[in-house]
Amino acid sequence: MLRTLSLQLHSAITGSYISGTHSIVFVNCPNEQIARDIARAILAKKLAASVNILPKTSSLFFWKGEIEEATEILLLIKTKTSKVLKLSSFIRLVHPFEIPEVFSLPMDQGDVHYLKWLEEGMEED
C-alpha cells in the first residue's frame, strides 16, 4: 500500500510513468457469454478500466493427469497492479472453472494519455 502511494505521488510530481504501476491480467473463459458477464462485473466493480475479449483460443493442458483440449475465450484485463489480488479473488468467485487461469504481467511502458485514462476508469465514485 505504501509503495503504491509513493508511486502515485512520484508519477503526479514528475509526470512520468513508473514501470509496473499497471498490469494486464489474463483469464480464460469457457464461452463468450461467460467472458462478457465476467468482464462487465469486473468493470462494474471498478477492478479494471478495460477488458478485451479475444475469441476462440485453442487450449491444451493437463487436467487430472490427462491431456485435455478446449476452445476458450481469452480476457485481457487492464488494471492497476495494486488491484490484481482483489481482482483475482473476485474472478475465483464468479468463474465457472474449478481452477480458473488467472495471471498477470506488469506493464513496462505505455502512452501517458492511455495510462491516465486507465487511472480515471478505476476511480471510485
Side-chain angles (χ1 to χ4, degrees):
M1 173 96 141
L2 203 49
R3 181 182 189 286
T4 302
L5 291 173
S6 65
L7 290 176
Q8 289 173 347
L9 180 61
H10 180 273
S11 291
I13 292 170
T14 65
S16 64
Y17 179 70
I18 303 295
S19 180
T21 304
H22 297 90
S23 291
I24 300 174
V25 179
F26 297 75
V27 176
N28 274 351
C29 297
N31 62 53
E32 190 170 344
Q33 187 58 56
I34 288 171
R36 287 185 183 285
D37 291 346
I38 291 173
R40 287 186 177 281
I42 288 167
L43 293 171
K45 290 195 162 291
K46 302 242 183 209
L47 293 173
S50 174
V51 180
N52 296 108
I53 300 173
L54 303 179
K56 295 191 180 181
T57 60
S58 293
S59 298
L60 286 93
F61 51 92
F62 278 107
W63 182 248
K64 299 185 179 180
E66 300 290 325
I67 295 175
E68 299 287 333
E69 191 168 339
T71 300
E72 297 175 318
I73 307 299
L74 178 62
L75 298 179
L76 297 180
I77 305 164
K78 278 76 74 180
T79 189
K80 293 179 188 177
T81 301
S82 63
K83 291 190 176 210
V84 169
L85 288 177
K86 188 173 182 180
L87 174 62
S88 296
S89 296
F90 178 73
I91 289 168
R92 279 193 303 278
L93 288 174
V94 299
H95 203 286
F97 288 168
E98 183 178 335
I99 303 173
E101 176 183 73
V102 180
F103 67 91
S104 68
L105 297 173
M107 290 184 196
D108 181 40
Q109 294 294 320
D111 179 78
V112 293
H113 301 290
Y114 176 76
L115 297 169
K116 185 176 188 301
W117 173 81
L118 281 181
E119 285 289 327
E120 291 168 354
M122 290 178 275
E123 289 177 355
E124 301 299 323
D125 295 329

